[in-house]
Every structure is written in C-alpha cells, then in structure tokens.
C-alpha cells in the first residue's frame, strides 16, 4: 500500500512540475533555489489536492443522497405494482410516474433522520423558490481548475460606474500565461433584468475575446435569492437604508463565493472600482506559495489594507465564509464579519486583546506594499461619498508618456489649467478639457509628414474614469493624393481610420502602408458631451520604430 502511495505521489510530482524539471532536479542535486521551488510547488499541490478532496466529499454526499432517494422510489414502485388492490398503478404512464418521482424527491428530504445545515437554514425564504440559487444570467465557458479566481461584485451606481475600467486594468496587468490560469467572475447584484442585460451586453461587447476564452464570466442571481428587505431588523443603531445595503452586500459576497468555490485553488475578493499593480497575480501566487511551503496554516492573505479588497482565501475554506456571512447577514458589515470569524477561530477568552491580535496576525497575513487601490468616490449606497485610499499602494498613474514623432498640436477645445494638449503629446501630463461640443477636434500636424504604423489613444484615468471620448473618430490626411482609398473619405480629404470605443474610452489600430506619409492626424468629436474629456495616453508609432 505504501509503495502504491509513493508511486502515486511520484507520478503527481512529475505531472505537476514537468518531466524536464524533475530530471534536472535529480541530476543536479538539491540546489537551494530548486529546493525552494520544489517546496513551493509541493505546497501548492497539497492545497490543490485538499480542494479536490473537498469537492469529492461534496459529490459523494450528493450521490449517497440520490441513491437513498431513488432506492425509496423504486421500493415504493415495486410495492404498488405487486399490490392487487392497486393494479392500476402498474399502468401509469411515464409522465405520471415521472411526476410522482419528482414529487417524492421534493418531499423526501424531510424523511431523513439527520440533515446538515445549509443556506436554507439561514435564508428560509429560499425554500419557497426551487431555482433561487440558479443564476438568472450566466455568460460562461465553464473554465475550472484554475489557480486563482477573482470575484468582482458590481451593482448599479447613481453617479458613475467604474466596472469597465476596472476590468480593463485587471486584464492589462496580466501576462498571457496568467490569463490562461485565471478566472474573473463578475457578479451583477441587481434584480432589474433590463439593467442586468444591459450591463452584461456592455461587458460582452468590450471583452468578447476574454469571455470566449473562458477567462471572464458574468453571472447574476435571481431576484428571489434576496429576502424581503423591508422586513430586516435594524441593527447596530444604523438607519434602515444602511442595514439593507450592507445586508445585501453580505448576501452578494456569499453568492459569489458559492459560485467560485469549485472553480479554482484560491479565491480573491475584489471590488468594481479598483486599480492594480503590474504583475499583481504573480506576486500573489508567489506569496501564497511561500506561506504554504513554510507550513503556515493561514486563513487570509491580505493584499490591500482597505475593507474587503484584495483578500485571498483558499477555495476549500469558502464554505465556512459562506455559512458565516449567511448566518449573520442582517447583523454586521461583511468586513466586520470576517474579522469576527477569524477571532472566533483563533482567540481565547482567557487571554487579553494583545494575545488575540497576535493570534489573528498569525493566520491573517499582510503583504506590503498593497497591490490594489480603491479609486471610486461615489458608493453604491445612495448619498455616501468615500475617499478611502490605500497609502501603501503608492502614487496613482494618471498618464502614460510616450515618445511621439515631431508635430505641431492644435485643438478647438479649451484646456483646464496646465493640462494642455501640447504637454500631453510630449508625455508631461494628460490633456483635460471642459465640456466638448459637436465639431470640436484635436489636430497633430507632422513636419515633415511621417509614415505612421499604429496609433493608440486612451481617454479617462484612475481619478476621472468617466471623462472619456465618445462618438469620436480618428482621421488622417495623407501627404499625397491616393488613387485607391482603403478608408472612408471625408469631403476635406481626411480618411477615417478608426474611432473611440464608447465603453473603454480607447482608440487603437494600424494604418495600411499604401496610405503613405501622413501630414495630419485628427480626432473629431461628433456629439455634445455631459462630461469633461481627458486624454491620458497618446502613442503614435512610426513605421520601423521599436514596438509599443
């Protein structure tokens, strides 16, 4: 038995680390760096196996329950078919028998002598709605077995939404390898089906390739998942509106964790109004592996000092959090509940506060500097303005400088203070202007004309995500006339080569070489805007220059 177990461990070791690495390790001996890597990989493998064992136990319980149910159904069916006084039961149609079976299964739970607590014990209204836990919307390719699941709850905001820019930032700061081993789940916590469909459509349009690859999913719960909020108890002396808001947040987090727990090894709770640091996923993985290889029995890895942002959990531990959040959903905010859960698990009643803090710090580990920054100002709670910033994150990047070809810049827009187009083009700051009107434009005159290969414009930034260019086209004026025009031509000879995406605020594209040297590039605004506009990145790549 021990030989078979050793062989299984060896096989798994080779499967996870790869044959080349295994051979290298055997031939080279226990080099310190290789040994550390080996310890980290084994620790990660141990956590994956623990998660798989949890899932197997859940499936085993499901199978045993079903076997019990169907065994009783078959026994009852045999009794009916053999009973002379009930011979008509033998001739029941398939439809009637199926209906009877379903009815029995729906009631048979009450016949069990022992029942494990479930979410129905804490949210009893769910019993009335059989499909209350099934997503009413689900955009998913079913990706499972990933290393990290990122959970992002989002709701309708009265002033402005940060979701799309948050997703853009999360994805931009991933490597291709990380995109293949990560799952982002966006949870739309609303009961307004029209809003849910609109939000899902915007995400799908902007991030279609990532949804198609399975890296990004969008879900929304049915309206009857939530209890009747008007019947909530007032707790902590808070106004009822605040009680409802934080109760719903508790239930949103619980639902998202229930959905994510079977999909990966680790789960990270995020919010829909954050920024990340480049390489954040690799840093989180490395930190988690380091703790596991050191045999630290951690419960939370904290990558942001604010609220519930950037909290990493083992997916195998999520059922505990779901139960705790569901049990006390009406009582306290979710970040307080997390603190209470940790305190209940590790602190002693016969010790002082100092001892309790020491014990909590041993299982709630903090990484510094922070990998996430909160950028939202307007909360989803009506009237609440929050300017919380994580000081450990560092300075926000508000513009992206590039070396662009020599050009004279002109615009019909009035710049705010020193945020001029001239300085933005040179990479010194961003361009920021008052409300644009239809017909306003930004011009870049190249002297001499240049062969442009690519262009990239980014509007909005972390502090002003809504100040984007909308309904705006990118146009060029060739230095010489063309016999064949591959782009739509305007009356003044300009060619339309692209436009800004209204959701992302980005315009990017390539210019065909046959266009030749370009004398002017122009951004033309085609409608009045309710927002100011901000251009945070301008990058014009000349043919033959270094890649972006």
């Amino acid at each position: 038995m021990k030989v078979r177990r050793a062989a299984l461990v060896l096989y798994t070791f080779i499967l996870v680390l790869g044959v080349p690495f295994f051979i290298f390790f055997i031939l080279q001996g226990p080099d310190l760096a290789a040994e550390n890597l080996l310890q980290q990989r084994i620790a990660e493998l141990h956590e994956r196996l623990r998660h798989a064992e949890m899932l197997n136990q859940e499936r085993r319980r499901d199978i045993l329950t079903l076997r019990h149910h169907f065994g009783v159904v078959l026994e009852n069916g045999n009794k009916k078919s053999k009973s002379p006084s009930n011979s008509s039961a033998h001739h029941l149609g398939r439809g009637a028998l199926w209906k009877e079976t379903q009815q029995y299964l729906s009631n048979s739970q009450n016949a069990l002598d022992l029942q494990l607590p479930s979410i129905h014990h804490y949210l009893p209204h769910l019993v009335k709605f059989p499909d209350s836990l099934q997503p009413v919307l689900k955009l998913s390719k079913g990706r499972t077995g990933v290393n990290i699941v990122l959970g992002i709850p989002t709701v309708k905001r009265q002033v402005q939404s940060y979701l799309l820019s948050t997703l853009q930032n999360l994805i931009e700061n991933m490597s291709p390898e990380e995109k293949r081993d990560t799952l982002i789940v966006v949870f739309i916590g609303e009961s307004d089906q029209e809003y849910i469909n609109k939000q899902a459509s915007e995400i799908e349009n902007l991030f279609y390739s990532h949804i198609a690859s399975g890296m990004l999913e969008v879900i929304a719960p049915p309206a009857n998942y939530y209890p009747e909020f008007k019947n909530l108890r007032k707790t902590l002396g808070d106004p009822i509106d605040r009680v409802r808001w934080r109760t719903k947040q508790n239930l949103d987090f619980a639902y998202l964790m229930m959905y994510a727990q079977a999909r990966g090894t680790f789960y990270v709770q995020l919010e829909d109004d954050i920024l990340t640091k480049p390489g954040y996923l690799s840093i989180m993985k490395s930190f988690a592996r380091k703790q596991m290889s050191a045999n630290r029995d951690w419960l939370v890895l904290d990558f942001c000092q604010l609220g519930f942002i950037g909290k990493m959990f083992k997916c195998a531990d999520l059922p505990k959090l779901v139960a705790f959040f569901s049990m006390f959903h009406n009582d306290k905010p979710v970040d307080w509940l997390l603190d209470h859960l940790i305190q209940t698990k590790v602190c002693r009643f016969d010790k002082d506060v100092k001892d309790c803090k020491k014990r909590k710090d041993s299982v709630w580990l903090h990484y510094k500097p922070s990998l996430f920054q909160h950028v939202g100002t307007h909360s989803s709670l009506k009237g609440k303005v929050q300017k919380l910033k994580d000081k450990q994150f560092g300075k926000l990047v508000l513009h992206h400088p590039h070396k662009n070809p020599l050009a004279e810049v002109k615009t019909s827009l009035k710049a705010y203070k020193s945020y001029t187009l001239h300085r933005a083009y040179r990479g010194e700051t961003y361009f920021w202007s008052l409300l644009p009107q239809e017909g306003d434009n930004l011009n870049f005159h190249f002297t001499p004309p240049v062969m442009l290969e690519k262009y990239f414009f980014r509007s909005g930034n972390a502090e002003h995500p809504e100040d984007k260019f909308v309904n705006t086209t990118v146009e060029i004026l060739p230095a010489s006339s063309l016999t064949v025009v591959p782009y739509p031509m305007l009356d003044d000879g300009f060619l339309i080569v692209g436009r800004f995406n209204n959701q992302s605020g980005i315009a990017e594209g390539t210019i065909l070489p046959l266009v030749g040297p370009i004398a002017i590039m122009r951004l033309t605004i085609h409608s009045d805007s309710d927002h100011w506009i901000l251009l945070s990145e301008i990058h014009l790549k000349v043919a033959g220059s270094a890649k972006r």
Side-chain angles (χ1 to χ4, degrees), residues 266-310:
F266 303 106
Y267 174 81
V268 179
Q269 184 72 49
L270 300 176
E271 292 187 7
D272 63 352
D273 53 355
I274 61 168
L275 282 180
T276 67
K277 283 190 174 178
Y280 67 99
L281 280 174
S282 295
I283 296 172
M284 288 194 293
K285 290 178 186 177
S286 177
F287 189 66
R289 288 171 177 170
K290 181 179 178 180
Q291 310 314 314
M292 292 187 298
S293 63
N295 292 321
R296 292 193 179 96
D297 188 21
W298 58 270
L299 296 173
V300 186
L301 297 185
D302 203 337
F303 298 93
C304 179
Q305 309 308 308
L306 299 176
F308 219 112
I309 301 172

Side-chain angles (χ1 to χ4, degrees), residues 347-409:
C347 291
R348 296 172 55 115
F349 284 114
D350 58 345
K351 297 290 184 178
D352 57 15
V353 175
K354 185 177 179 180
D355 180 79
C356 181
K357 184 180 183 305
K358 182 178 179 180
R359 291 176 182 274
K360 286 198 293 186
D361 288 344
S362 68
V363 295
W364 188 330
L365 307 179
H366 296 265
Y367 176 87
K368 298 178 182 180
S370 298
L371 301 181
F372 303 95
Q373 178 64 286
H374 180 259
V375 296
T377 302
H378 302 280
S379 170
S380 56
L381 176 60
K382 186 176 181 180
K384 181 183 177 184
V385 176
Q386 49 189 13
K387 298 183 179 180
L388 298 175
K389 300 295 179 185
D390 192 332
K391 295 180 180 179
Q392 295 182 11
F393 183 82
K395 191 175 181 180
L396 290 176
V397 177
L398 301 179
H399 76 285
H400 305 267
H402 294 283
K403 185 176 181 180
N404 291 307
L406 187 64
E408 180 184 3
V409 298

Side-chain angles (χ1 to χ4, degrees), residues 39-55:
Q39 290 178 346
Q40 291 181 4
R41 294 290 179 86
I42 290 176
E44 182 180 357
L45 173 61
H46 174 77
E47 186 56 38
R48 285 179 177 266
L49 290 175
R50 178 170 172 259
H51 182 242
E53 182 179 352
M54 180 203 72
L55 297 179

Side-chain angles (χ1 to χ4, degrees), residues 46-296:
H46 174 77
E47 186 56 38
R48 285 179 177 266
L49 290 175
R50 178 170 172 259
H51 182 242
E53 182 179 352
M54 180 203 72
L55 297 179
N56 287 338
Q57 289 293 334
E58 290 183 356
R59 300 296 82 79
R60 183 172 181 271
R61 287 197 298 268
D62 293 342
I63 291 172
L64 290 175
T65 301
L66 285 173
R67 285 178 61 185
H68 171 80
H69 286 331
F70 282 108
V72 173
V73 170
L74 291 175
E75 183 179 353
N76 289 344
N78 289 333
K79 288 180 179 178
K80 287 185 177 182
S81 63
K82 295 177 181 179
S83 174
S85 61
N86 195 18
S87 58
S88 60
H90 184 71
H91 302 287
L92 285 175
R94 290 185 177 181
L97 183 59
W98 173 244
K99 183 177 181 180
E100 181 183 349
T101 302
Q102 283 188 312
Q103 182 65 35
Y104 181 83
L105 289 179
S106 65
N107 296 328
S108 60
Q109 183 70 18
N110 297 326
L112 296 177
D113 294 328
L114 183 65
Q115 298 181 49
L116 293 175
S118 71
I119 194 171
H120 294 85
H121 289 78
Y122 316 124
L123 299 169
H125 72 280
L126 296 179
V127 178
K128 304 176 184 178
F129 309 103
D131 298 327
S132 55
L133 294 179
Q134 294 301 316
V136 71
L137 177 140
K138 181 179 177 181
L139 300 179
S140 169
K141 293 296 181 180
R143 177 180 286 193
T144 59
V146 300
N147 196 283
I148 292 181
V149 181
L150 304 176
I152 305 175
T154 186
V155 295
K156 184 188 295 185
R157 295 176 182 266
Q158 298 297 324
V159 180
Q160 63 182 136
S161 173
Y162 308 86
L163 175 63
L164 298 180
S165 56
T166 293
L167 290 174
Q168 189 84 36
N169 181 262
L170 283 169
I171 295 171
E172 284 182 351
N173 284 338
M174 289 185 190
S175 68
E177 180 182 356
E178 288 168 343
K179 291 177 182 177
R180 292 189 291 269
D181 194 30
T182 303
L183 175 63
I184 301 175
V185 180
V186 177
F187 170 90
I188 305 175
E190 293 291 344
S191 55
D192 182 348
Q193 192 63 46
E194 182 178 354
Y195 174 81
I196 291 172
N197 293 337
K198 179 177 180 294
Q199 184 71 85
S201 178
E202 289 182 355
I203 297 172
E204 189 173 23
N205 290 337
L206 187 57
F207 302 102
Y208 175 79
S209 62
H210 300 300
I211 291 178
S213 71
M215 186 195 73
L216 177 61
E217 297 188 4
V218 183
I219 61 171
N224 52 31
Y225 166 66
Y226 300 105
E228 185 56 69
F229 286 114
K230 67 181 181 182
N231 295 331
L232 294 175
R233 293 175 291 105
K234 290 183 66 174
T235 54
L236 303 180
D238 285 339
I240 191 61
D241 286 346
R242 187 174 186 87
V243 173
R244 290 169 182 158
W245 176 77
R246 55 177 166 80
T247 295
K248 182 179 178 301
Q249 186 180 58
N250 290 336
L251 296 176
D252 287 347
F253 281 32
Y255 192 103
L256 187 48
M257 289 178 175
M258 281 191 289
Y259 182 84
Q261 61 95 17
R263 314 298 291 279
T265 305
F266 303 106
Y267 174 81
V268 179
Q269 184 72 49
L270 300 176
E271 292 187 7
D272 63 352
D273 53 355
I274 61 168
L275 282 180
T276 67
K277 283 190 174 178
Y280 67 99
L281 280 174
S282 295
I283 296 172
M284 288 194 293
K285 290 178 186 177
S286 177
F287 189 66
R289 288 171 177 170
K290 181 179 178 180
Q291 310 314 314
M292 292 187 298
S293 63
N295 292 321
R296 292 193 179 96

